[in-house]
Amino acid sequence: MTRQHRKPVMAAALLTAFSALAYATPAAAADNPYGLGALWSNGDFIARTVLIIMVVMSVGTWYIMITKFLEQARMMKAAKEVKAKFWQAHDIKEGAAQLDTASPFRYIADTGITAAEHHEGTMQETIDLYSWTTMSIQRSVDFIQNRLQGGLAFLGTVGSTSPFVGLFGTVWGIYHALTAIGIAGQASIDKVAGPVGESLIMTAIGLGTAVPAVLGYNMLVRRNKGALDEVRNFAADVQSILIGGYRHETHEPSE
């Protein structure tokens, strides 16, 4: 065989080998009697329900962690924008206008400005300007705090309960193993391996769901503290400006 004929033959042989390997690998995975596919196909209603619950917990955990990390990153970016734009303005209205409309710091500033300029009416006149603006700004800070803490309760719940959900799946798998032994009348490996493997998979999924939830919860709480410190400091500074004795409509000293 010449060299020119060898190259096409070798290429065809390699292509055939890769094709056979590609077809053999999924087939071997599909024939595994102790994998996730076997767990789903051979499991009963309880086992499938436990598996679905843990999958929902895991997906929800990662979704909340990613969205909260992005939200905190935007808030930290907005805090830098406040230092670069807001405090360089001539008055509080001009500074608020330079902030992004979705910024929580602009929300606080607009709330304070509105409270100071519309301190009027029979019921509001019974409250002094300082107390009225303080309550209005504090409500806006509380709203931002509640929004930042949204989803953390889910992470805490998943971190504390998912190991027990996995443990329940483990106990259920062991129960199936004992049932199979009792029906067969002998503890053969083929009767025990499937249910025991099912229980071990449940345990692994439960731990794999709980660990990211706990780590994400602790990290988000720590980052929330830093973000809320920035919000509270800004709110206190805005309050000091609002009660500084200036009319916010004309920027002239009040009489």
Side-chain angles (χ1 to χ4, degrees):
M1 183 180 296
T2 62
R3 181 176 299 179
Q4 295 179 351
H5 292 85
R6 288 178 183 175
K7 292 182 179 181
V9 172
M10 292 177 62
L14 290 175
L15 182 60
T16 303
F18 282 124
S19 301
L21 181 61
Y23 281 106
T25 301
D31 294 337
N32 182 13
Y34 310 119
L36 285 174
L39 171 62
W40 180 261
S41 60
N42 299 328
D44 57 0
F45 174 78
I46 301 296
R48 293 181 181 180
T49 302
V50 171
L51 185 60
I52 291 174
I53 290 174
M54 288 192 292
V55 169
V56 171
M57 284 182 172
S58 181
V59 172
T61 295
W62 285 104
Y63 173 78
I64 290 175
M65 286 195 301
I66 293 173
T67 55
K68 286 299 175 181
F69 274 114
L70 293 177
E71 182 181 4
Q72 291 173 347
R74 289 193 297 267
M75 180 167 289
M76 293 301 181
K77 181 180 178 181
K80 295 180 180 179
E81 186 181 29
V82 167
K83 298 176 182 178
K85 296 180 180 180
F86 182 85
W87 298 117
Q88 306 302 323
H90 295 87
D91 53 64
I92 188 171
K93 277 189 173 181
E94 180 183 344
Q98 293 182 6
L99 299 179
D100 187 79
T101 55
S103 172
F105 298 95
R106 176 162 183 176
Y107 174 69
I108 294 174
D110 289 341
T111 300
I113 293 172
T114 302
E117 292 182 349
H118 298 279
H119 183 249
E120 55 194 17
T122 304
M123 288 187 293
Q124 293 183 5
E125 286 177 352
T126 61
I127 306 175
D128 60 281
L129 178 62
Y130 176 81
S131 300
W132 177 250
T133 53
T134 300
M135 289 188 298
S136 299
I137 292 176
Q138 184 59 43
R139 290 187 187 118
S140 64
V141 173
D142 292 340
F143 174 78
I144 294 172
Q145 180 177 357
N146 292 333
R147 190 178 66 179
L148 279 176
Q149 292 178 348
L152 295 184
F154 180 85
L155 294 182
T157 302
V158 170
S160 60
T161 60
S162 58
F164 297 100
V165 176
L167 180 61
F168 175 76
T170 301
V171 173
W172 193 255
I174 294 175
Y175 164 74
H176 274 262
L178 296 176
T179 303
I181 294 173
I183 294 175
Q186 57 181 354
S188 59
I189 190 64
D190 58 335
K191 301 295 183 181
V192 179
V196 171
E198 173 184 322
S199 64
L200 294 178
I201 291 176
M202 291 292 190
T203 303
I205 295 177
L207 294 176
T209 303
V211 172
V214 173
L215 293 178
Y217 176 83
N218 292 331
M219 293 181 64
L220 289 173
V221 168
R222 181 176 58 83
R223 287 167 61 91
N224 271 355
K225 184 180 181 301
L228 287 174
D229 287 341
E230 294 284 347
V231 170
R232 292 193 183 99
N233 292 337
F234 177 78
D237 294 339
V238 169
Q239 170 69 11
S240 300
I241 294 175
L242 290 173
I243 64 173
Y246 290 90
R247 293 179 179 173
H248 307 290
E249 303 89 346
T250 61
H251 314 296
E252 297 177 359
S254 59
E255 301 178 355

